[in-house]
């Protein structure tokens, strides 16, 4: 399996765990010392804390939600055992398209890719459009 395929397989495993509402399996995708920043700004540390807290969320606020991703997935490698994955997606019973932007920092440990850091940001597309209209120079090149 190529490195990119391995990273994308981990992301698929993460999404499958979310879609099943399986906090333990979700947490297993992270390193023991991972940092997880939720879109509301909450910081979780470590695979166990991430899995435990997500199980509570899956049983309550996020019950029966699905994790969706747009086709915009960017994978970049920084050495043999480090990668950064950027995605656009959303969660919900009827997720909207690209409502959040996620950045994953991944490391390879004992031949297996794991998430070492995660940042989730709520996307404000209307504010983006307004900003780009009044200041076109801030529009990203890509």
């Amino acid at each position: 399996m190529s490195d990119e395929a391995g990273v994308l397989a981990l992301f698929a495993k993460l999404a499958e765990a979310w879609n099943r509402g399986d906090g333990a399996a979700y947490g297993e995708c992270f390193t023991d010392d991972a940092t997880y920043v939720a879109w509301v700004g909450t910081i979780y540390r470590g695979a166990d804390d991430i899995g435990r807290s997500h199980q509570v969320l899956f049983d309550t606020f996020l019950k029966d939600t699905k994790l969706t991703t747009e086709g915009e997935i960017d994978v970049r490698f920084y050495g043999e055992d480090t990668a950064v994955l950027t995605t656009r997606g959303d969660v919900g019973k009827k997720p909207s398209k690209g409502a959040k932007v996620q950045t994953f920092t991944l490391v390879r440990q004992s031949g297996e890719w794991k998430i070492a850091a995660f940042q989730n940001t709520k996307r404000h597309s209307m504010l983006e459009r307004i900003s780009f209209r009044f200041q076109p120079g801030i529009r990203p090149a890509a």
Side-chain angles (χ1 to χ4, degrees):
M1 175 181 308
S2 73
D3 288 340
E4 184 168 346
V7 166
L8 295 177
L10 173 62
F11 184 71
K13 179 180 173 181
L14 183 82
E16 289 166 7
W18 183 292
N19 293 341
R20 286 192 318 271
D22 187 340
Y26 190 81
E28 288 173 5
C29 296
F30 294 84
T31 63
D32 290 339
D33 62 350
T35 302
Y36 187 106
V37 181
W39 75 273
V40 297
T42 307
I43 300 172
Y44 299 96
R45 297 193 194 284
D48 290 340
D49 193 34
I50 294 164
R52 177 202 54 77
S53 61
H54 275 78
Q55 190 59 61
V56 173
L57 290 168
F58 295 150
D59 291 343
T60 57
F61 301 124
L62 298 176
K63 187 176 181 85
D64 299 324
T65 60
K66 301 297 178 205
L67 175 64
T68 60
T69 303
E70 281 185 28
E72 298 179 30
I73 294 181
D74 182 50
V75 181
R76 295 176 188 230
F77 294 91
Y78 299 92
E80 293 181 14
D81 297 321
T82 306
V84 174
L85 170 66
T86 306
T87 65
R88 284 195 183 183
D90 197 12
V91 299
K93 293 186 180 179
K94 292 184 179 180
S96 61
K97 191 173 185 183
K100 296 183 182 122
V101 179
Q102 302 84 23
T103 303
F104 301 82
T105 302
L106 300 101
V107 294
R108 186 175 4 222
Q109 296 179 334
S110 302
E112 183 179 11
W113 287 102
K114 295 277 188 171
I115 302 163
F118 170 80
Q119 167 72 46
N120 193 12
T121 303
K122 176 84 169 131
R123 184 173 185 210
H124 299 277
S125 57
M126 184 183 345
L127 291 176
E128 277 184 327
R129 287 192 302 276
I130 291 168
S131 297
F132 297 160
R133 180 172 181 207
F134 289 102
Q135 292 298 332
I138 65 171
R139 181 181 299 275

